[in-house]
Amino acid sequence: MDDREETSQTLDEKHKKELSLLFRDLRSEAISSMEYFKRLTGVNNERFHNAFYHLLQHIENRVQSSVDTILTYAHRYDIDEKTRSNGHRSLVKLVYKCLSHLMLLCRYISLNKESLLFRATHYSNELESYVSLLGQLGACMYYAQQIVKFCEPSELFAIEAYSDDPLAEALMAESDAIDQIPFYGRCLAFQFCESMRRPFTIIHIAMASYSENYESTSGFMKLAGSLLDSGKYWLDPDLRAQQIVNTTRDADIGFCKSFWGLTETPAMKQLPHYMCPNIEVNQVITIKAESFKLPRTSGVGHVTIHPPSAHIGPGPVNIRLISHKRRSGQVVGQDVQGEGQGPRVLEKSPFVLIHCHGGGFVAQSSKSHEVYLRSWAVDLQVPIVSVDYSLAPECPYPRAVEEIFFAYCWVLKNANLVGSVAQKVCITGDSAGGNLSMALTLKSISKGIRPPDGVVAIYTPMLIRYIPSPSRMLSLVDPLLPVGITARCLAAYAGISEEDLFEPIESAPHSVQIHDKMQKVDSPNQHTGLNIILDELENEDLEDNVVLTADSSLQTHGESETKAHRPNTVQQQCQQVKHLPLKSQTPSIASICGEHSHIMTDLCTRSAVNINSNATAIPEIKDQQCTSSSCNSTQLEISPSTSLSPPWYAQTRHYAQSPTPCRKLRHIHVDRDPLLSPLLASDDLLTEMPPVYLVVSHLDPLLDDSLTFAKKLRSLSKPVQVCLLDDLPHGFLNFTLVSKECKNASNLCVSKIRKTINSNRPIYGSSM
């Protein structure tokens, strides 16, 4: 074992001990509260009792063991000792955030439960939501551990054969059925800094109300209906969460374009004029669709640069020139929309920044990104050229790459028209724009023309395919990049139509086939809960109207279960799970099983997780009997045979076999083109890359994309630095006006751009 691995493991052991103490304290609070509320009657007291019980279930039967297991092998996926980050660690971080919220909530309830001003209904709702959230995070960690089996050693993305493996298809089907409602209700944005929670609440209220009125033909009716409906979604977080989940799973790409396009409305376009720094130059320049030549970097001959022509034929390209001060040579004329010029004209800048905006390849423009570009222009004091490329699905790949490349070459040839001599050229982009920035750099290298002097790519998708990785599972909980919308945007840019995305998956295996496959591939102990429950219950000839539900939140039976019917001790409660039903609009598993509880016992005793032989094995979960001594201590042990709450036991067969966009995208051929997916670029291209800065948050679903790309560059001894941010969401640049933390992150991006254009020194390592 090398020193780097030993150091990482030592730090992980310390982290594991800290989490163990948190689990211990939370367990103690839950047991104490159970003892208190079991003596009381009333709906809310019963809800508290059930919620604390299920909290114990999640801790004892899955969550703590999964956290400990992931931390035993997470260090294997770090790209270096300083960059202690990957999707596995991000999942553990989510659990830590959830546990911290639960601890604060439990202590508040414990201290104030006897107060006359204690809002029992409100806090029982809060507790139920976070307990359900913890259960769903346990499911996410379970599937992240399973993904490891399909990865090469120390690799975060599954291998290509994953898409054709029946067992992988079963895994994908069940992970699709994870209940997302707890992530988008009362717990919305729990993982981010405090300043981001209110903005995301407002965004989700707007999305929920807008989706309800999306079909209205009149723009006025859409607006009016959205305003009227926003009130109910503000007052009812659970209703809002349900609407968001339905929308992100079922809405087409047209809804994504329409909703994100709200930032392009006249009112929103005027916002930067009042909220951002004043600039003297804000001009839209149209580059004519005419060919021109650039010299080769070899010094021999020229390269002819043709205008973009894919899909819609040759056409012009619009760019936006942003400059704090007017500089010599900058275009001013009738065809230019300027914001105004100052009396003084500065000399040409030696630098220029090329910018590619984000928006999932399907929405937004340079105008909607002025919220941070104006500040960048002031801080950097260089001209910024932001390209308004054509959007998918009307203009899928490679149209946007062609337009970005054409605009870049035009700036090289006509740098004086943007107020620069182009001594140094840096290219940057966020999200989809980061992908296009990388594609531009690779294309300039392949064409033999001058590449940019540096690239700053911010939360960038490097692989335009839905190949699972641990961080990509964060899309299940991300308020800005929900998994359904992410899949649709990737598909639209890759040229996959909505019809193709929702065609039935012909090769989708039936549940029994999955069960048989798992028996052949793995040991008899390793089965998925969904299919075993469904198949065996069917064999028991249950009534046709019995339906399993994906909702794993909690429900009380009101006064139906009185104090007299409850177990007298915590020990008896641990042994009688069926008295604590799960919340659902349909019968819960506990009520369905009844006399079939032996099926659940058999299932849980067989449950175990297997990890690739190259990684640390995940220990098998063993039966534990609840004894008097253990139940009276804070180290309460609950038998796995009574564990009904883990969400992967409560999924519907129908939804798990339906062709969701992510599952369908896995089965559709996507070109292995490095200009589409920079992660697939050859070593020959990557060895010519300029210095690269990758800026991404620990909690971003695209974290693994950046880390894997950085690892590939480092293997070729290329200068690359990964800049990691805490507690920030994907798209943080668009929130600089409402969040101090996002503004600080924007300043970090500025510092990396400044280093790129002011220094020739190679860069290595990472910054946290």
Side-chain angles (χ1 to χ4, degrees):
M1 181 184 300
D2 58 26
D3 292 338
R4 183 190 69 83
E5 184 173 353
E6 184 176 3
T7 302
S8 295
Q9 283 187 285
T10 301
L11 292 173
D12 287 341
E13 286 298 323
K14 292 180 180 179
H15 190 199
K16 190 186 299 184
K17 289 180 181 178
E18 293 174 359
L19 283 168
S20 179
L21 293 175
L22 184 56
F23 277 117
R24 184 199 65 186
D25 293 343
L26 193 56
R27 187 186 294 110
S28 177
E29 289 283 347
I31 294 174
S32 175
S33 295
M34 281 177 61
E35 290 284 3
Y36 174 83
F37 286 108
K38 79 180 180 62
R39 298 192 299 267
L40 305 177
T41 59
V43 173
N44 287 324
N45 292 324
E46 192 168 340
R47 291 175 66 190
F48 277 121
H49 176 270
N50 289 358
F52 282 116
Y53 178 74
H54 282 280
L55 174 58
L56 285 175
Q57 278 192 303
H58 292 318
I59 293 174
E60 299 293 343
N61 294 327
R62 177 64 66 184
V63 177
Q64 186 170 8
S65 61
S66 293
V67 167
D68 291 344
T69 299
I70 289 176
L71 288 177
T72 61
Y73 62 78
H75 65 278
R76 299 177 183 271
Y77 300 90
D78 296 334
I79 60 176
D80 61 43
E81 183 180 347
K82 293 183 179 180
T83 315
R84 298 181 65 253
S85 179
N86 55 66
H88 297 287
R89 295 188 185 277
S90 297
L91 288 171
V92 173
K93 190 177 183 69
L94 287 184
V95 173
Y96 175 78
K97 293 274 189 178
C98 182
L99 293 175
S100 299
H101 283 287
L102 276 168
M103 178 56 70
L104 291 174
L105 189 57
C106 288
R107 286 179 174 170
Y108 182 87
I109 293 171
S110 177
L111 292 173
N112 297 276
K113 58 180 178 287
E114 296 180 352
S115 171
L116 292 176
L117 300 178
F118 179 62
R119 296 184 295 163
T121 301
H122 170 77
Y123 286 104
S124 61
N125 288 335
E126 291 287 313
L127 182 61
E128 287 175 350
S129 297
Y130 275 101
V131 170
S132 296
L133 175 69
L134 185 63
Q136 301 304 323
L137 290 177
C140 291
M141 289 193 295
Y142 169 81
Y143 293 118
Q145 293 170 42
Q146 294 292 326
I147 289 174
V148 176
K149 296 192 295 185
F150 298 94
C151 300
E152 296 291 343
S154 74
E155 294 296 328
L156 290 166
F157 285 93
I159 58 177
E160 290 291 324
Y162 176 90
S163 60
D164 300 321
D165 191 291
L167 183 58
E169 178 63 29
L171 180 66
M172 191 72 174
E174 294 195 15
S175 63
D176 276 351
I178 288 177
D179 184 14
Q180 295 175 264
I181 291 178
F183 303 121
Y184 298 143
R186 299 175 186 277
C187 309
L188 178 67
F190 75 97
Q191 67 269 44
F192 301 130
C193 57
E194 186 67 33
S195 62
M196 286 308 305
R197 291 173 192 165
R198 180 61 62 86
F200 274 126
T201 299
I202 295 173
I203 289 173
H204 274 222
I205 290 172
M207 179 183 287
S209 56
Y210 188 80
S211 64
E212 196 168 339
N213 298 275
Y214 173 61
E215 299 297 334
S216 299
T217 55
S218 167
F220 174 78
M221 292 304 298
K222 281 185 182 180
L223 177 61
S226 298
L227 291 175
L228 290 174
D229 290 331
S230 61
K232 66 180 180 182
Y233 291 121
W234 179 274
L235 296 173
D236 192 341
D238 298 325
L239 179 64
R240 181 182 71 226
Q242 183 64 67
Q243 181 69 12
I244 291 295
V245 169
N246 292 341
T247 299
T248 56
R249 280 179 169 168
D250 301 333
D252 58 18
I253 195 66
F255 173 80
C256 302
K257 291 177 68 71
S258 180
F259 180 71
W260 288 346
L262 293 176
T263 58
E264 301 295 326
T265 58
M268 294 298 293
K269 284 184 176 180
Q270 293 300 314
L271 187 62
H273 292 270
Y274 302 104
M275 302 291 292
C276 302
N278 291 325
I279 53 178
E280 293 184 3
V281 180
N282 186 6
Q283 307 173 351
V284 174
I285 302 174
T286 299
I287 305 174
K288 296 181 180 179
E290 298 175 350
S291 300
F292 55 88
K293 293 184 178 182
L294 285 178
R296 295 183 182 273
T297 53
S298 62
V300 180
H302 291 76
V303 177
T304 300
I305 308 299
H306 299 286
S309 59
H311 300 297
I312 57 176
V317 177
N318 288 334
I319 61 174
R320 180 178 297 275
L321 174 61
I322 297 175
S323 182
H324 181 220
K325 299 294 183 179
R326 186 179 174 188
R327 294 182 177 273
S328 174
Q330 289 179 337
V331 177
V332 177
Q334 295 180 353
D335 297 331
V336 176
Q337 301 174 1
E339 187 174 297
Q341 294 81 36
R344 181 185 175 192
V345 178
L346 302 181
E347 63 181 7
K348 294 183 178 69
S349 171
F351 315 120
V352 63
L353 176 64
I354 310 292
H355 171 260
C356 305
H357 67 79
F361 302 102
V362 302
Q364 300 192 337
S365 68
S366 61
K367 185 67 177 177
S368 57
H369 285 248
E370 281 188 29
V371 290
Y372 62 88
L373 288 179
R374 284 170 171 255
S375 296
W376 285 13
V378 174
D379 294 339
L380 292 168
Q381 289 297 308
V382 300
I384 299 176
V385 176
S386 186
V387 185
D388 283 317
Y389 54 87
S390 298
L391 303 173
E394 295 81 8
C395 298
Y397 176 83
R399 181 74 188 196
V401 174
E402 290 182 354
E403 292 181 352
I404 296 287
F405 179 73
F406 187 69
Y408 169 75
C409 293
W410 182 88
V411 170
L412 291 183
K413 187 175 180 63
N414 302 278
N416 62 303
L417 297 181
V418 298
S420 173
V421 296
Q423 177 183 333
K424 288 285 190 68
V425 180
C426 175
I427 184 162
T428 186
D430 64 302
S431 193
N435 175 281
L436 295 171
S437 299
M438 287 296 178
L440 160 65
T441 305
L442 293 170
K443 187 168 184 176
S444 63
I445 293 171
S446 65
K447 292 292 185 180
I449 67 169
R450 173 188 173 181
D453 295 283
V455 184
V456 179
I458 307 162
Y459 40 81
T460 298
M462 298 292 184
L463 188 62
I464 307 299
R465 302 182 65 185
Y466 198 81
I467 296 180
S469 80
S471 79
R472 287 195 170 193
M473 290 197 67
L474 297 181
S475 287
L476 293 168
V477 310
D478 194 274
L480 199 66
L481 278 185
V483 63
I485 288 180
T486 301
R488 284 175 175 83
C489 291
L490 295 179
Y493 182 57
I496 300 170
S497 66
E498 290 279 313
E499 292 76 15
D500 291 338
L501 202 59
F502 283 95
E503 284 184 358
I505 303 176
E506 297 179 0
S507 60
H510 297 293
S511 295
V512 176
Q513 294 173 332
I514 297 172
H515 176 56
D516 294 340
K517 175 69 175 177
M518 295 186 76
Q519 284 181 311
K520 295 176 184 178
V521 173
D522 299 320
S523 69
N525 289 337
Q526 295 156 356
H527 304 289
T528 54
L530 167 66
N531 297 310
I532 297 174
I533 293 174
L534 292 173
D535 292 335
E536 296 200 33
L537 288 181
E538 285 176 354
N539 293 336
E540 294 285 347
D541 296 325
L542 290 181
E543 296 179 3
D544 293 337
N545 62 349
V546 173
V547 180
L548 296 183
T549 176
D551 186 355
S552 69
S553 54
L554 309 177
Q555 179 186 32
T556 179
H557 279 190
E559 299 297 336
S560 62
E561 183 187 346
T562 63
K563 178 179 178 181
H565 291 92
R566 293 186 193 165
N568 294 325
T569 66
V570 176
Q571 295 94 312
Q572 292 173 348
Q573 295 166 25
C574 296
Q575 297 166 355
Q576 299 183 23
V577 179
K578 61 184 179 181
H579 291 296
L580 299 172
L582 301 177
K583 179 180 179 181
S584 174
Q585 298 301 321
T586 55
S588 65
I589 292 181
S591 60
I592 289 172
C593 290
E595 62 188 77
H596 307 282
S597 59
H598 65 281
I599 297 174
M600 295 302 301
T601 302
D602 180 60
L603 166 65
C604 295
T605 55
R606 287 183 288 174
S607 296
V609 184
N610 182 36
I611 289 295
N612 188 299
S613 58
N614 294 290
T616 305
I618 294 180
E620 180 178 347
I621 300 175
K622 302 186 180 191
D623 287 343
Q624 299 172 341
Q625 297 300 324
C626 183
T627 64
S628 176
S629 61
S630 63
C631 287
N632 287 328
S633 70
T634 57
Q635 300 297 325
L636 175 67
E637 296 182 346
I638 302 176
S639 170
S641 64
T642 64
S643 175
L644 302 181
S645 56
W648 50 89
Y649 294 159
Q651 303 165 350
T652 61
R653 180 193 298 275
H654 170 74
Y655 186 76
Q657 290 185 338
S658 63
T660 62
C662 291
R663 291 175 59 203
K664 183 60 182 175
L665 188 58
R666 288 178 51 244
H667 293 273
I668 297 177
H669 173 73
V670 178
D671 290 339
R672 294 181 56 84
D673 189 337
L675 301 186
L676 179 66
S677 299
L679 192 57
L680 303 178
S682 66
D683 290 351
D684 291 340
L685 280 176
L686 294 179
T687 52
E688 301 298 323
M689 284 287 290
V692 174
Y693 289 93
L694 301 171
V695 183
V696 66
S697 168
H698 287 283
L699 300 177
D700 197 304
L702 300 177
L703 170 67
D704 289 344
D705 290 59
S706 293
L707 294 176
T708 304
F709 191 73
K711 183 178 179 180
K712 193 169 184 179
L713 288 176
R714 287 190 182 181
S715 68
L716 301 172
S717 300
K718 298 303 296 179
V720 58
Q721 185 178 91
V722 181
C723 307
L724 296 165
L725 303 168
D726 286 323
D727 303 338
L728 290 181
H730 183 90
F732 59 77
L733 286 176
N734 297 98
F735 297 97
T736 55
L737 296 181
V738 296
S739 170
K740 178 181 177 181
E741 291 82 0
C742 292
K743 178 61 177 176
N744 291 338
S746 175
N747 292 339
L748 174 67
C749 297
V750 169
S751 69
K752 302 308 174 186
I753 295 171
R754 186 177 288 115
K755 285 185 178 181
T756 298
I757 60 180
N758 288 337
S759 175
N760 291 318
R761 293 180 297 175
I763 53 168
Y764 296 94
S766 64
S767 61
M768 308 293 282

